[in-house]
Amino acid sequence: MDFTLSEDQRAIQDAARAFATAEFAPHSARWDEEHHFPVDVIRKAAALGFAGIYVAEDVGGSELKRLDAAIIFEELSRGDVSTAAFISIHNMATWMIDRFGSEALRQKYLPRLTSAELIASYCLTEPGSGSDAAALRTTARAEGAEYVLNGSKAFISGAGTSDVYVIMARTGEAGPKGVSAFVVEKGTPGLSFGAQERKMGWNSQPTAMVLFDDCRIPVENRIGQEGDGFRFAMMGLDGGRLNISACSLGGAALALETAQAYVEQRQQFGRRLADFQALQFKLADMATALEAARLMVRAAADALDKRDPRATQLCAMAKRFATDAGFEVANQALQLHGGYGYLKDYPLERIVRDLRVHQILEGTNEIMRVITAREMLRQ
């Protein structure tokens, strides 16, 4: 059992950190303030292979492992959590087409997705089905050589800007076995978008409803077979949960570094804050939580790479622990700054706002406990 990164992984880590430092960090505050979606910078990230991290090389992917992806997203999120998280979503949607789509579908979309010429969104959640995702009501009715989609999706990152939407819709019976997956292109008649949501964080990416009103797509745009869509979506979420956990690690790591630098120079009562043992203990606890979370995320990523039977449970456990720990570390880092932490002059309040949603999306942390307990009791 070797916990050290390989030479290749260190090179990947260095490249991601250098990119985030140069391309994300200088603009993060402005993107948040102006609600700017930096598609041009996402395309620069794609030039490094970050838009198809675990997609096959024959369609332009990097064909790396889930562990490599966790390393990449931790580093990217040090520069900007929100933008790194969107790249994770793009990767999840792109991977679903690569892993389960027909060869024609792969060749039609993936070369342009891995280059980020096209941007992708993942569409599962609906206004009436969040945690109970298998209760989704969007329908896809077969009519000859087409499917006709009707319904709506909620909280969709990239909605209105993305070019490709990976949609889960009902083609059969109630429950998960009646769900299929499809690719829908922006501009398809019957596809529209709701107003942009006004959010606490994640302001560098748009979020809106995706609406279908007799939206016709060719049968060839179905991913895999009818009835397999929910299984595909859940497999996508295993990796998505690791990526979003890694984004929590990166944001929290930046928050901890910022707090440490602050307490080492800030003085009160004639002493540096770093000289007070109570604050030393706080820093130690923050660092310990972060290291434990990182180990859990990387262990789960390794399990997913090896197709370990426990991978889904380990991904759920890692997501629950890492996103809770990441938010708490960032929140404590803000606290250590006192009133200054509440100001936008420092990155802490933005990191706290961006990390909070990680405890909700890709399956709430309550659902992560459900998955963990279900797998335990199944043994």
Side-chain angles (χ1 to χ4, degrees), residues 226-292:
E226 279 197 7
D228 284 340
F230 192 78
R231 179 170 62 88
F232 297 163
M234 293 303 102
M235 290 177 70
L237 283 174
D238 280 343
R241 286 164 184 160
L242 293 180
N243 293 346
I244 215 66
S245 299
C247 289
S248 287
L249 294 176
L254 176 62
L256 177 56
E257 291 169 7
T258 304
Q260 181 175 340
Y262 181 78
V263 299
E264 286 177 345
Q265 59 85 27
R266 172 73 167 171
Q267 292 200 0
Q268 290 289 280
F269 306 102
R271 301 165 63 190
R272 296 185 314 158
L273 294 184
D275 294 328
F276 291 91
Q277 190 177 61
L279 301 188
Q280 293 173 4
F281 282 7
K282 186 179 290 293
L283 288 173
D285 287 345
M286 293 160 70
T288 301
L290 201 54
E291 187 65 21

Short mmCIF file of all heavy atoms in Angstrom, two decimals, residues 226-292:
data_model
loop_
_atom_site.label_atom_id
_atom_site.label_comp_id
_atom_site.label_asym_id
_atom_site.label_seq_id
_atom_site.Cartn_x
_atom_site.Cartn_y
_atom_site.Cartn_z
N GLU A 226 -32.80 1.16 -23.96
CA GLU A 226 -33.90 1.66 -23.13
C GLU A 226 -33.87 0.94 -21.77
O GLU A 226 -33.64 -0.26 -21.69
CB GLU A 226 -35.25 1.41 -23.81
CG GLU A 226 -35.59 2.43 -24.86
CD GLU A 226 -37.08 2.41 -25.21
OE1 GLU A 226 -37.86 1.70 -24.53
OE2 GLU A 226 -37.48 3.14 -26.15
N GLY A 227 -34.12 1.71 -20.73
CA GLY A 227 -34.17 1.16 -19.39
C GLY A 227 -32.86 1.15 -18.65
O GLY A 227 -32.81 0.83 -17.45
N ASP A 228 -31.77 1.51 -19.34
CA ASP A 228 -30.44 1.50 -18.69
C ASP A 228 -30.01 2.87 -18.19
O ASP A 228 -28.95 3.00 -17.58
CB ASP A 228 -29.39 0.98 -19.68
CG ASP A 228 -29.45 -0.53 -19.85
OD1 ASP A 228 -30.01 -1.20 -18.96
OD2 ASP A 228 -28.93 -1.03 -20.87
N GLY A 229 -30.81 3.89 -18.46
CA GLY A 229 -30.38 5.25 -18.19
C GLY A 229 -30.11 5.55 -16.72
O GLY A 229 -29.16 6.27 -16.39
N PHE A 230 -30.95 5.01 -15.83
CA PHE A 230 -30.75 5.33 -14.42
C PHE A 230 -29.46 4.69 -13.92
O PHE A 230 -28.71 5.30 -13.14
CB PHE A 230 -31.94 4.84 -13.59
CG PHE A 230 -31.95 5.38 -12.19
CD1 PHE A 230 -32.36 6.68 -11.94
CD2 PHE A 230 -31.53 4.60 -11.12
CE1 PHE A 230 -32.36 7.20 -10.65
CE2 PHE A 230 -31.53 5.10 -9.83
CZ PHE A 230 -31.95 6.40 -9.60
N ARG A 231 -29.18 3.48 -14.37
CA ARG A 231 -27.93 2.81 -13.98
C ARG A 231 -26.73 3.61 -14.48
O ARG A 231 -25.75 3.81 -13.74
CB ARG A 231 -27.89 1.40 -14.55
CG ARG A 231 -26.62 0.62 -14.24
CD ARG A 231 -26.77 -0.83 -14.63
NE ARG A 231 -26.99 -1.00 -16.05
CZ ARG A 231 -26.00 -1.12 -16.95
NH1 ARG A 231 -24.73 -1.06 -16.55
NH2 ARG A 231 -26.27 -1.29 -18.23
N PHE A 232 -26.81 4.11 -15.71
CA PHE A 232 -25.72 4.93 -16.24
C PHE A 232 -25.54 6.20 -15.39
O PHE A 232 -24.42 6.61 -15.09
CB PHE A 232 -26.02 5.34 -17.69
CG PHE A 232 -26.12 4.22 -18.67
CD1 PHE A 232 -26.73 4.42 -19.91
CD2 PHE A 232 -25.64 2.95 -18.38
CE1 PHE A 232 -26.83 3.40 -20.83
CE2 PHE A 232 -25.73 1.91 -19.29
CZ PHE A 232 -26.34 2.14 -20.53
N ALA A 233 -26.68 6.81 -15.05
CA ALA A 233 -26.62 8.06 -14.27
C ALA A 233 -25.97 7.83 -12.92
O ALA A 233 -25.17 8.66 -12.45
CB ALA A 233 -28.03 8.62 -14.10
N MET A 234 -26.30 6.71 -12.26
CA MET A 234 -25.72 6.42 -10.95
C MET A 234 -24.24 6.11 -11.06
O MET A 234 -23.44 6.51 -10.19
CB MET A 234 -26.46 5.24 -10.30
CG MET A 234 -27.92 5.53 -9.94
SD MET A 234 -28.13 6.94 -8.81
CE MET A 234 -28.68 8.22 -9.97
N MET A 235 -23.84 5.43 -12.12
CA MET A 235 -22.41 5.16 -12.32
C MET A 235 -21.66 6.46 -12.58
O MET A 235 -20.53 6.64 -12.11
CB MET A 235 -22.22 4.17 -13.47
CG MET A 235 -22.71 2.76 -13.14
SD MET A 235 -22.56 1.60 -14.52
CE MET A 235 -20.77 1.42 -14.63
N GLY A 236 -22.28 7.36 -13.31
CA GLY A 236 -21.67 8.67 -13.51
C GLY A 236 -21.49 9.42 -12.21
O GLY A 236 -20.48 10.09 -11.99
N LEU A 237 -22.48 9.27 -11.33
CA LEU A 237 -22.43 9.98 -10.05
C LEU A 237 -21.36 9.44 -9.12
O LEU A 237 -20.84 10.17 -8.26
CB LEU A 237 -23.79 9.94 -9.36
CG LEU A 237 -24.83 10.91 -9.92
CD1 LEU A 237 -26.19 10.67 -9.26
CD2 LEU A 237 -24.40 12.36 -9.73
N ASP A 238 -21.00 8.16 -9.23
CA ASP A 238 -19.90 7.65 -8.41
C ASP A 238 -18.65 8.50 -8.63
O ASP A 238 -18.02 8.97 -7.68
CB ASP A 238 -19.59 6.19 -8.76
CG ASP A 238 -20.54 5.20 -8.10
OD1 ASP A 238 -21.24 5.59 -7.14
OD2 ASP A 238 -20.58 4.05 -8.54
N GLY A 239 -18.31 8.70 -9.90
CA GLY A 239 -17.15 9.53 -10.21
C GLY A 239 -17.39 11.00 -9.91
O GLY A 239 -16.49 11.70 -9.44
N GLY A 240 -18.61 11.47 -10.19
CA GLY A 240 -18.93 12.86 -9.92
C GLY A 240 -18.80 13.21 -8.45
O GLY A 240 -18.36 14.31 -8.08
N ARG A 241 -19.17 12.26 -7.58
CA ARG A 241 -19.05 12.49 -6.14
C ARG A 241 -17.59 12.62 -5.71
O ARG A 241 -17.26 13.43 -4.83
CB ARG A 241 -19.75 11.36 -5.39
CG ARG A 241 -21.26 11.47 -5.45
CD ARG A 241 -21.99 10.20 -5.08
NE ARG A 241 -23.43 10.40 -5.28
CZ ARG A 241 -24.32 9.44 -5.42
NH1 ARG A 241 -23.93 8.15 -5.39
NH2 ARG A 241 -25.59 9.71 -5.60
N LEU A 242 -16.73 11.83 -6.33
CA LEU A 242 -15.31 11.96 -6.02
C LEU A 242 -14.76 13.30 -6.50
O LEU A 242 -13.98 13.95 -5.80
CB LEU A 242 -14.53 10.81 -6.67
CG LEU A 242 -14.81 9.42 -6.13
CD1 LEU A 242 -13.97 8.40 -6.88
CD2 LEU A 242 -14.53 9.34 -4.64
N ASN A 243 -15.17 13.70 -7.69
CA ASN A 243 -14.67 14.96 -8.23
C ASN A 243 -15.11 16.14 -7.38
O ASN A 243 -14.33 17.07 -7.12
CB ASN A 243 -15.16 15.15 -9.66
CG ASN A 243 -14.56 14.16 -10.63
OD1 ASN A 243 -13.59 13.47 -10.31
ND2 ASN A 243 -15.13 14.05 -11.82
N ILE A 244 -16.37 16.14 -6.96
CA ILE A 244 -16.85 17.26 -6.17
C ILE A 244 -16.22 17.24 -4.79
O ILE A 244 -15.98 18.29 -4.17
CB ILE A 244 -18.40 17.26 -6.11
CG1 ILE A 244 -18.93 18.70 -6.10
CG2 ILE A 244 -18.94 16.50 -4.90
CD1 ILE A 244 -18.67 19.46 -7.38
N SER A 245 -15.90 16.04 -4.28
CA SER A 245 -15.17 15.93 -3.02
C SER A 245 -13.78 16.52 -3.17
O SER A 245 -13.29 17.23 -2.28
CB SER A 245 -15.06 14.46 -2.61
OG SER A 245 -16.32 13.88 -2.40
N ALA A 246 -13.14 16.23 -4.30
CA ALA A 246 -11.81 16.78 -4.55
C ALA A 246 -11.86 18.30 -4.66
O ALA A 246 -10.94 19.01 -4.20
CB ALA A 246 -11.22 16.19 -5.82
N CYS A 247 -12.94 18.83 -5.24
CA CYS A 247 -13.10 20.29 -5.29
C CYS A 247 -13.24 20.87 -3.88
O CYS A 247 -12.73 21.97 -3.60
CB CYS A 247 -14.31 20.66 -6.13
SG CYS A 247 -14.10 20.37 -7.91
N SER A 248 -13.90 20.14 -3.00
CA SER A 248 -13.98 20.59 -1.60
C SER A 248 -12.60 20.59 -0.96
O SER A 248 -12.25 21.51 -0.20
CB SER A 248 -14.92 19.67 -0.80
OG SER A 248 -16.27 19.90 -1.14
N LEU A 249 -11.80 19.58 -1.26
CA LEU A 249 -10.44 19.52 -0.71
C LEU A 249 -9.62 20.71 -1.14
O LEU A 249 -8.92 21.34 -0.33
CB LEU A 249 -9.74 18.24 -1.17
CG LEU A 249 -10.27 16.90 -0.68
CD1 LEU A 249 -9.50 15.76 -1.33
CD2 LEU A 249 -10.18 16.81 0.83
N GLY A 250 -9.69 21.04 -2.43
CA GLY A 250 -8.89 22.15 -2.93
C GLY A 250 -9.30 23.49 -2.36
O GLY A 250 -8.46 24.29 -1.96
N GLY A 251 -10.62 23.73 -2.31
CA GLY A 251 -11.09 24.99 -1.73
C GLY A 251 -10.72 25.09 -0.26
O GLY A 251 -10.29 26.15 0.22
N ALA A 252 -10.89 23.99 0.47
CA ALA A 252 -10.56 23.99 1.90
C ALA A 252 -9.07 24.13 2.13
O ALA A 252 -8.63 24.79 3.09
CB ALA A 252 -11.07 22.71 2.54
N ALA A 253 -8.25 23.52 1.26
CA ALA A 253 -6.80 23.64 1.40
C ALA A 253 -6.36 25.10 1.23
O ALA A 253 -5.51 25.60 1.99
CB ALA A 253 -6.11 22.75 0.38
N LEU A 254 -6.94 25.79 0.25
CA LEU A 254 -6.62 27.21 0.07
C LEU A 254 -7.07 28.00 1.28
O LEU A 254 -6.35 28.90 1.76
CB LEU A 254 -7.30 27.74 -1.19
CG LEU A 254 -7.13 29.24 -1.44
CD1 LEU A 254 -5.66 29.60 -1.63
CD2 LEU A 254 -7.95 29.68 -2.67
N ALA A 255 -8.25 27.70 1.81
CA ALA A 255 -8.74 28.40 3.00
C ALA A 255 -7.81 28.20 4.18
O ALA A 255 -7.51 29.15 4.93
CB ALA A 255 -10.15 27.92 3.33
N LEU A 256 -7.34 26.97 4.38
CA LEU A 256 -6.44 26.68 5.50
C LEU A 256 -5.11 27.41 5.33
O LEU A 256 -4.59 27.99 6.29
CB LEU A 256 -6.22 25.17 5.59
CG LEU A 256 -5.24 24.70 6.67
CD1 LEU A 256 -5.65 25.19 8.05
CD2 LEU A 256 -5.13 23.17 6.66
N GLU A 257 -4.56 27.39 4.12
CA GLU A 257 -3.30 28.10 3.88
C GLU A 257 -3.46 29.60 4.13
O GLU A 257 -2.57 30.25 4.70
CB GLU A 257 -2.83 27.85 2.45
CG GLU A 257 -2.37 26.42 2.20
CD GLU A 257 -2.17 26.12 0.72
OE1 GLU A 257 -2.25 27.07 -0.10
OE2 GLU A 257 -1.92 24.95 0.39
N THR A 258 -4.59 30.14 3.69
CA THR A 258 -4.85 31.57 3.90
C THR A 258 -4.97 31.89 5.38
O THR A 258 -4.43 32.90 5.86
CB THR A 258 -6.15 31.97 3.16
OG1 THR A 258 -6.03 31.63 1.78
CG2 THR A 258 -6.41 33.46 3.28
N ALA A 259 -5.64 31.02 6.13
CA ALA A 259 -5.81 31.23 7.57
C ALA A 259 -4.48 31.11 8.30
O ALA A 259 -4.19 31.89 9.22
CB ALA A 259 -6.81 30.23 8.12
N GLN A 260 -3.68 30.14 7.91
CA GLN A 260 -2.38 29.97 8.57
C GLN A 260 -1.50 31.20 8.36
O GLN A 260 -0.87 31.71 9.31
CB GLN A 260 -1.66 28.73 8.05
CG GLN A 260 -0.31 28.50 8.74
CD GLN A 260 0.34 27.20 8.30
OE1 GLN A 260 -0.31 26.29 7.80
NE2 GLN A 260 1.64 27.10 8.51
N ALA A 261 -1.46 31.70 7.13
CA ALA A 261 -0.67 32.90 6.86
C ALA A 261 -1.18 34.09 7.66
O ALA A 261 -0.39 34.91 8.17
CB ALA A 261 -0.71 33.21 5.36
N TYR A 262 -2.50 34.16 7.82
CA TYR A 262 -3.10 35.29 8.55
C TYR A 262 -2.74 35.23 10.04
O TYR A 262 -2.31 36.25 10.62
CB TYR A 262 -4.61 35.25 8.38
CG TYR A 262 -5.34 36.38 9.07
CD1 TYR A 262 -5.38 37.65 8.52
CD2 TYR A 262 -5.97 36.18 10.29
CE1 TYR A 262 -6.04 38.70 9.15
CE2 TYR A 262 -6.65 37.21 10.94
CZ TYR A 262 -6.67 38.47 10.36
OH TYR A 262 -7.32 39.50 11.00
N VAL A 263 -2.88 34.09 10.68
CA VAL A 263 -2.62 34.01 12.13
C VAL A 263 -1.14 34.14 12.43
O VAL A 263 -0.76 34.51 13.55
CB VAL A 263 -3.19 32.72 12.75
CG1 VAL A 263 -4.69 32.65 12.57
CG2 VAL A 263 -2.50 31.47 12.22
N GLU A 264 -0.29 33.87 11.45
CA GLU A 264 1.15 34.02 11.68
C GLU A 264 1.58 35.48 11.66
O GLU A 264 2.64 35.82 12.22
CB GLU A 264 1.94 33.22 10.63
CG GLU A 264 1.89 31.71 10.88
CD GLU A 264 2.62 30.92 9.82
OE1 GLU A 264 2.91 31.50 8.74
OE2 GLU A 264 2.88 29.72 10.03
N GLN A 265 0.76 36.36 11.07
CA GLN A 265 1.16 37.78 11.04
C GLN A 265 0.23 38.69 11.85
O GLN A 265 0.65 39.76 12.28
CB GLN A 265 1.24 38.27 9.58
CG GLN A 265 -0.03 38.14 8.77
CD GLN A 265 -1.01 39.32 8.94
OE1 GLN A 265 -0.58 40.43 9.25
NE2 GLN A 265 -2.29 39.04 8.73
N ARG A 266 -1.00 38.26 12.11
CA ARG A 266 -1.96 39.08 12.84
C ARG A 266 -1.65 39.06 14.34
O ARG A 266 -1.42 37.99 14.92
CB ARG A 266 -3.37 38.53 12.60
CG ARG A 266 -4.46 39.16 13.43
CD ARG A 266 -4.79 40.56 13.00
NE ARG A 266 -6.03 41.02 13.62
CZ ARG A 266 -6.47 42.27 13.55
NH1 ARG A 266 -5.77 43.18 12.89
NH2 ARG A 266 -7.61 42.60 14.11
N GLN A 267 -1.63 40.24 14.96
CA GLN A 267 -1.37 40.33 16.40
C GLN A 267 -2.57 40.88 17.16
O GLN A 267 -3.25 41.79 16.69
CB GLN A 267 -0.14 41.23 16.67
CG GLN A 267 1.15 40.63 16.16
CD GLN A 267 2.36 41.26 16.84
OE1 GLN A 267 2.25 42.14 17.69
NE2 GLN A 267 3.55 40.80 16.46
N GLN A 268 -2.82 40.28 18.32
CA GLN A 268 -3.81 40.77 19.28
C GLN A 268 -3.27 40.52 20.68
O GLN A 268 -2.57 39.52 20.92
CB GLN A 268 -5.15 40.04 19.08
CG GLN A 268 -5.89 40.39 17.78
CD GLN A 268 -6.46 41.80 17.79
OE1 GLN A 268 -7.51 42.08 18.37
NE2 GLN A 268 -5.74 42.72 17.15
N PHE A 269 -3.58 41.41 21.61
CA PHE A 269 -3.12 41.27 23.00
C PHE A 269 -1.59 41.15 23.06
O PHE A 269 -1.03 40.45 23.91
CB PHE A 269 -3.77 40.07 23.69
CG PHE A 269 -5.28 40.08 23.64
CD1 PHE A 269 -5.95 39.28 22.74
CD2 PHE A 269 -6.01 40.95 24.46
CE1 PHE A 269 -7.33 39.30 22.68
CE2 PHE A 269 -7.40 40.97 24.41
CZ PHE A 269 -8.07 40.15 23.51
N GLY A 270 -0.91 41.80 22.10
CA GLY A 270 0.54 41.83 22.11
C GLY A 270 1.21 40.56 21.62
O GLY A 270 2.44 40.43 21.74
N ARG A 271 0.45 39.65 21.03
CA ARG A 271 1.03 38.39 20.56
C ARG A 271 0.43 38.04 19.19
O ARG A 271 -0.68 38.43 18.87
CB ARG A 271 0.73 37.24 21.53
CG ARG A 271 1.26 37.44 22.93
CD ARG A 271 0.63 36.45 23.90
NE ARG A 271 0.95 35.05 23.58
CZ ARG A 271 0.37 34.02 24.16
NH1 ARG A 271 -0.61 34.21 25.06
NH2 ARG A 271 0.73 32.78 23.84
N ARG A 272 1.21 37.26 18.44
CA ARG A 272 0.66 36.73 17.20
C ARG A 272 -0.49 35.78 17.52
O ARG A 272 -0.44 35.05 18.52
CB ARG A 272 1.71 35.95 16.41
CG ARG A 272 2.90 36.72 15.91
CD ARG A 272 3.78 35.80 15.06
NE ARG A 272 3.99 34.50 15.69
CZ ARG A 272 4.34 33.39 15.05
NH1 ARG A 272 4.49 33.41 13.74
NH2 ARG A 272 4.52 32.25 15.71
N LEU A 273 -1.51 35.74 16.67
CA LEU A 273 -2.58 34.77 16.88
C LEU A 273 -2.04 33.34 16.89
O LEU A 273 -2.54 32.47 17.61
CB LEU A 273 -3.66 34.91 15.79
CG LEU A 273 -4.46 36.21 15.76
CD1 LEU A 273 -5.53 36.13 14.67
CD2 LEU A 273 -5.10 36.52 17.11
N ALA A 274 -1.00 33.11 16.10
CA ALA A 274 -0.42 31.77 16.01
C ALA A 274 0.24 31.33 17.31
O ALA A 274 0.52 30.14 17.49
CB ALA A 274 0.61 31.72 14.87
N ASP A 275 0.46 32.24 18.23
CA ASP A 275 1.08 31.89 19.51
C ASP A 275 0.06 31.43 20.55
O ASP A 275 0.45 30.97 21.63
CB ASP A 275 1.89 33.07 20.05
CG ASP A 275 3.08 33.41 19.17
OD1 ASP A 275 3.64 32.46 18.57
OD2 ASP A 275 3.45 34.59 19.08
N PHE A 276 -1.21 31.57 20.26
CA PHE A 276 -2.25 31.12 21.20
C PHE A 276 -2.53 29.63 20.96
O PHE A 276 -2.87 29.21 19.85
CB PHE A 276 -3.54 31.92 21.00
CG PHE A 276 -3.42 33.36 21.43
CD1 PHE A 276 -3.03 34.34 20.55
CD2 PHE A 276 -3.71 33.72 22.75
CE1 PHE A 276 -2.92 35.66 20.95
CE2 PHE A 276 -3.61 35.04 23.16
CZ PHE A 276 -3.21 36.01 22.26
N GLN A 277 -2.39 28.83 22.01
CA GLN A 277 -2.51 27.39 21.85
C GLN A 277 -3.90 26.98 21.35
O GLN A 277 -4.03 26.02 20.56
CB GLN A 277 -2.21 26.68 23.17
CG GLN A 277 -2.08 25.17 23.02
CD GLN A 277 -1.71 24.49 24.31
OE1 GLN A 277 -2.46 24.56 25.29
NE2 GLN A 277 -0.56 23.83 24.34
N ALA A 278 -4.93 27.70 21.78
CA ALA A 278 -6.28 27.36 21.32
C ALA A 278 -6.39 27.43 19.80
O ALA A 278 -7.03 26.59 19.16
CB ALA A 278 -7.31 28.29 21.96
N LEU A 279 -5.73 28.43 19.21
CA LEU A 279 -5.77 28.57 17.75
C LEU A 279 -4.84 27.57 17.07
O LEU A 279 -5.11 27.13 15.95
CB LEU A 279 -5.43 30.00 17.35
CG LEU A 279 -6.37 31.08 17.94
CD1 LEU A 279 -6.07 32.44 17.33
CD2 LEU A 279 -7.83 30.71 17.72
N GLN A 280 -3.75 27.22 17.74
CA GLN A 280 -2.88 26.17 17.21
C GLN A 280 -3.66 24.85 17.12
O GLN A 280 -3.55 24.12 16.13
CB GLN A 280 -1.66 25.98 18.11
CG GLN A 280 -0.70 27.15 18.13
CD GLN A 280 0.40 26.98 19.17
OE1 GLN A 280 0.49 25.95 19.83
NE2 GLN A 280 1.23 28.00 19.32
N PHE A 281 -4.43 24.56 18.16
CA PHE A 281 -5.24 23.33 18.16
C PHE A 281 -6.26 23.36 17.01
O PHE A 281 -6.52 22.34 16.36
CB PHE A 281 -5.96 23.17 19.49
CG PHE A 281 -5.08 22.66 20.61
CD1 PHE A 281 -3.71 22.52 20.44
CD2 PHE A 281 -5.63 22.31 21.83
CE1 PHE A 281 -2.91 22.05 21.47
CE2 PHE A 281 -4.84 21.84 22.86
CZ PHE A 281 -3.48 21.70 22.68
N LYS A 282 -6.84 24.54 16.79
CA LYS A 282 -7.83 24.66 15.70
C LYS A 282 -7.18 24.37 14.35
O LYS A 282 -7.72 23.62 13.53
CB LYS A 282 -8.47 26.05 15.72
CG LYS A 282 -9.61 26.21 14.72
CD LYS A 282 -10.22 27.58 14.79
CE LYS A 282 -10.99 27.81 16.07
NZ LYS A 282 -12.22 26.95 16.13
N LEU A 283 -6.00 24.96 14.12
CA LEU A 283 -5.29 24.70 12.87
C LEU A 283 -4.95 23.21 12.73
O LEU A 283 -5.08 22.63 11.64
CB LEU A 283 -4.01 25.52 12.81
CG LEU A 283 -4.16 27.03 12.59
CD1 LEU A 283 -2.80 27.71 12.71
CD2 LEU A 283 -4.76 27.32 11.21
N ALA A 284 -4.53 22.60 13.83
CA ALA A 284 -4.18 21.18 13.80
C ALA A 284 -5.39 20.33 13.44
O ALA A 284 -5.29 19.38 12.63
CB ALA A 284 -3.60 20.75 15.15
N ASP A 285 -6.53 20.64 14.02
CA ASP A 285 -7.75 19.88 13.72
C ASP A 285 -8.18 20.07 12.26
O ASP A 285 -8.63 19.12 11.60
CB ASP A 285 -8.88 20.31 14.65
CG ASP A 285 -8.70 19.80 16.07
OD1 ASP A 285 -7.87 18.89 16.27
OD2 ASP A 285 -9.39 20.32 16.97
N MET A 286 -8.03 21.28 11.75
CA MET A 286 -8.39 21.55 10.36
C MET A 286 -7.48 20.76 9.41
O MET A 286 -7.96 20.13 8.45
CB MET A 286 -8.28 23.05 10.08
CG MET A 286 -9.32 23.89 10.82
SD MET A 286 -8.85 25.65 10.96
CE MET A 286 -9.03 26.19 9.26
N ALA A 287 -6.19 20.76 9.70
CA ALA A 287 -5.24 20.04 8.85
C ALA A 287 -5.50 18.53 8.91
O ALA A 287 -5.41 17.83 7.89
CB ALA A 287 -3.81 20.35 9.27
N THR A 288 -5.82 18.04 10.10
CA THR A 288 -6.09 16.60 10.26
C THR A 288 -7.33 16.18 9.48
O THR A 288 -7.35 15.15 8.79
CB THR A 288 -6.25 16.25 11.74
OG1 THR A 288 -5.05 16.62 12.44
CG2 THR A 288 -6.51 14.77 11.95
N ALA A 289 -8.39 16.98 9.59
CA ALA A 289 -9.63 16.67 8.87
C ALA A 289 -9.40 16.67 7.36
O ALA A 289 -9.91 15.80 6.64
CB ALA A 289 -10.71 17.69 9.24
N LEU A 290 -8.61 17.62 6.89
CA LEU A 290 -8.33 17.72 5.46
C LEU A 290 -7.53 16.51 4.97
O LEU A 290 -7.81 15.94 3.91
CB LEU A 290 -7.59 19.02 5.19
CG LEU A 290 -7.61 19.58 3.77
CD1 LEU A 290 -9.03 19.74 3.27
CD2 LEU A 290 -6.87 20.92 3.74
N GLU A 291 -6.54 16.11 5.75
CA GLU A 291 -5.73 14.96 5.36
C GLU A 291 -6.54 13.68 5.37
O GLU A 291 -6.41 12.84 4.46
CB GLU A 291 -4.52 14.84 6.29
CG GLU A 291 -3.51 13.78 5.87
CD GLU A 291 -2.83 14.10 4.54
OE1 GLU A 291 -2.82 15.29 4.14
OE2 GLU A 291 -2.33 13.15 3.91
N ALA A 292 -7.39 13.51 6.37
CA ALA A 292 -8.24 12.32 6.43
C ALA A 292 -9.19 12.28 5.23
O ALA A 292 -9.39 11.22 4.61
CB ALA A 292 -9.04 12.31 7.73
#
